[in-house]
Amino acid sequence: RFEELEEMVGNQSIEQEWEECDRADLMLQLLGQMAGTPGWPSRQQVILLACDCVEPALEFVPEGEYRPKQAIIDTRRWALGEDISPAHLRESAYAAGDAYADVAVDAADIIASRKWQYEENISSAHLCDAATHAAVSAAYAVDTAVYSDSADYATFAAYVAVDAAADAYAADVAAAYYDADYDADYAAFAATFAAAKAKRLRELAELIRPRFAPSSTELGLEE
């Protein structure tokens, strides 16, 4: 792992790399890869960070749809040491996944209303629906706990959870942009989405940074 870390950092110090990173999803991915090794947070601490990044996206979940929020609650409880069974966590993950499937139907209706609905570069209705992304982010957040014994999958789940949380924010911004300018073409919509997602990932990176800062000395990376 440390050889991979040194290769990623390159000529910069790990402190500088961490301070300049504006991608919260990549930060969670690295934290997941290194979780539990000396100088890095525990798996449980990484899971709590993922929940903190995902929770703001729950505002986009439709009123009355409680399953994504419950998934975050159960994941936090497990990470904080409560006696929650793997079976219970799996049920929370499946429930959040079912919520994703339900709101995705609504997303399909949204994409059908767009005038660019038949463009070849539209690969998914999810681009247009903040609720879909929010439910996905919650489902993957709980997966970080469900599959905590599988470091590779838990790391992947943490990355996707944060990435989808940023997508939820971006989809909401882009939808508002489209509503304000119905004549906008898909390229303009997609550019708005991309800019909003980048902004949200930067904001979430600032949420993560105060919670943990890697040290070259502690990690044995100093010259």
Side-chain angles (χ1 to χ4, degrees), residues 24 28 48-57 162 165 200 204 207-208:
L28 259 293
L48 289 173
L49 275 174
C51 288
D52 288 345
C53 289
V54 166
E55 188 169 40
V162 176
R200 191 58 175 162
L204 292 176
L207 181 152
I208 294 169

Side-chain angles (χ1 to χ4, degrees), residues 17-66:
E17 187 78 18
W18 191 256
E19 185 62 30
E20 294 178 359
C21 183
D22 59 2
R23 291 276 306 274
D25 51 351
L26 295 181
M27 293 169 81
L28 259 293
Q29 184 178 39
L30 177 61
L31 289 173
Q33 289 171 346
M34 305 305 294
T37 59
W40 292 89
S42 67
R43 176 69 58 194
Q44 288 78 8
Q45 289 171 319
V46 173
I47 289 169
L48 289 173
L49 275 174
C51 288
D52 288 345
C53 289
V54 166
E55 188 169 40
L58 296 179
E59 69 171 292
F60 303 115
V61 174
E63 185 176 352
E65 175 51 81
Y66 65 90

Side-chain angles (χ1 to χ4, degrees), residues 69-89:
K69 181 178 181 178
Q70 188 60 50
I72 298 299
I73 291 172
D74 290 342
T75 304
R76 275 211 179 96
R77 289 173 57 202
W78 179 88
L80 290 171
E82 290 193 35
D83 186 16
I84 298 178
S85 71
H88 183 89
L89 284 175

Side-chain angles (χ1 to χ4, degrees), residues 119-203:
E119 289 193 18
E120 293 180 1
N121 58 353
I122 296 288
S123 61
S124 170
H126 307 162
L127 180 66
C128 297
D129 187 64
T132 303
H133 292 297
V136 168
S137 65
Y140 274 99
V142 73
D143 273 358
T144 62
V146 173
Y147 299 101
S148 59
D149 290 337
S150 174
D152 287 343
Y153 185 80
T155 297
F156 167 77
Y159 170 88
V160 175
V162 176
D163 186 71
D167 281 342
Y169 172 83
D172 183 66
V173 171
Y177 164 80
Y178 179 84
D179 290 341
D181 184 3
Y182 185 78
D183 292 329
D185 61 16
Y186 171 73
F189 179 91
T192 301
F193 181 98
K197 180 175 181 177
K199 175 179 181 290
R200 191 58 175 162
L201 287 173
R202 286 194 299 271
E203 293 170 348

